[in-house]
Amino acid sequence: MIVEHDDLQSKLNIGQDEDIKQFLTFFMADEEYGVDILTVQEIRSWEEITEIPNSPDFVKGVINLRGTIVPIIDLRLRFGLPAVTYGPLTVVIVLKVKLESTCKIMGIVVDAVSDVYSIAEHEAKAVPHLSDSDNTQFVAGLVNVGEKMVALLDLQKTMGI
């Protein structure tokens, strides 16, 4: 049997990784979460920030990032997790998030950065709906990576203030 090169590519999925995305993963409260790496602008160590009066409790304040004022959100507080004292592993992941018709630069405070994984979008499973007050609206899907499960965040819903 003679197999054309294009047929072989389609049978083996060679060169057809359009649905493969890379995700930067990080820890919060011993759980691992991931964001599309294409949204990540940089990872910074924790630094002092300027607080903004009357902002929601999960908005820690702002930083000046090379002339751009960047709001910083504590993801633990956004998800209703207990606050922790920031330590040497605490980082701010600066993200470019598309909100409605504009792109915004925002930072999220997380416990520690973990890894970068290549994940096929079709491998992500839907999040079970638990109650009307749960935070599942922030999670776009769940995916198994080895022996662990990673929650992939929906940044538009997570960062929409």
Side-chain angles (χ1 to χ4, degrees):
M1 175 178 159
I2 299 174
V3 178
E4 295 292 324
H5 179 67
D6 290 338
D7 291 334
L8 184 60
Q9 272 190 324
S10 64
K11 285 184 169 74
L12 298 176
N13 282 336
I14 298 171
Q16 294 191 350
D17 57 352
E18 294 87 22
D19 73 336
I20 301 286
K21 287 187 173 181
Q22 288 191 313
F23 289 87
L24 174 70
T25 61
F26 53 87
F27 287 105
M28 283 190 324
D30 298 323
E31 295 295 329
E32 196 165 2
Y33 298 86
V35 294
D36 186 336
I37 200 159
L38 295 177
T39 64
V40 177
Q41 288 209 315
E42 66 183 87
I43 301 169
R44 303 171 59 89
S45 59
W46 174 252
E47 62 189 72
E48 288 303 313
I49 59 172
T50 302
E51 293 184 19
I52 303 295
N54 297 320
S55 61
D57 64 339
F58 59 85
V59 177
K60 300 307 289 181
V62 295
I63 61 171
N64 184 338
L65 183 64
R66 294 180 293 283
T68 302
I69 302 302
V70 178
I72 305 298
I73 295 173
D74 187 320
L75 218 49
R76 278 179 156 270
L77 298 178
R78 178 73 167 142
F79 290 174
L81 299 171
V84 295
T85 304
Y86 299 150
L89 294 178
T90 304
V91 296
V92 174
I93 302 172
V94 179
L95 304 165
K96 186 173 189 176
V97 182
K98 184 171 181 168
L99 296 175
E100 298 171 12
S101 61
T102 63
C103 285
K104 300 219 183 226
I105 307 297
M106 303 176 96
I108 55 174
V109 180
V110 300
D111 294 351
V113 170
S114 175
D115 213 335
V116 174
Y117 296 115
S118 294
I119 300 170
E121 286 186 276
H122 69 272
E123 291 177 359
K125 307 293 184 230
V127 180
H129 183 71
L130 303 173
S131 72
D132 290 335
S133 63
D134 64 16
N135 287 322
T136 59
Q137 78 260 16
F138 299 137
V139 179
L142 300 169
V143 65
N144 287 322
V145 178
E147 297 294 317
K148 58 187 167 186
M149 186 169 292
V150 176
L152 304 177
L153 296 183
D154 181 331
L155 289 177
Q156 287 76 22
K157 291 181 181 172
T158 303
M159 304 299 268
I161 299 174

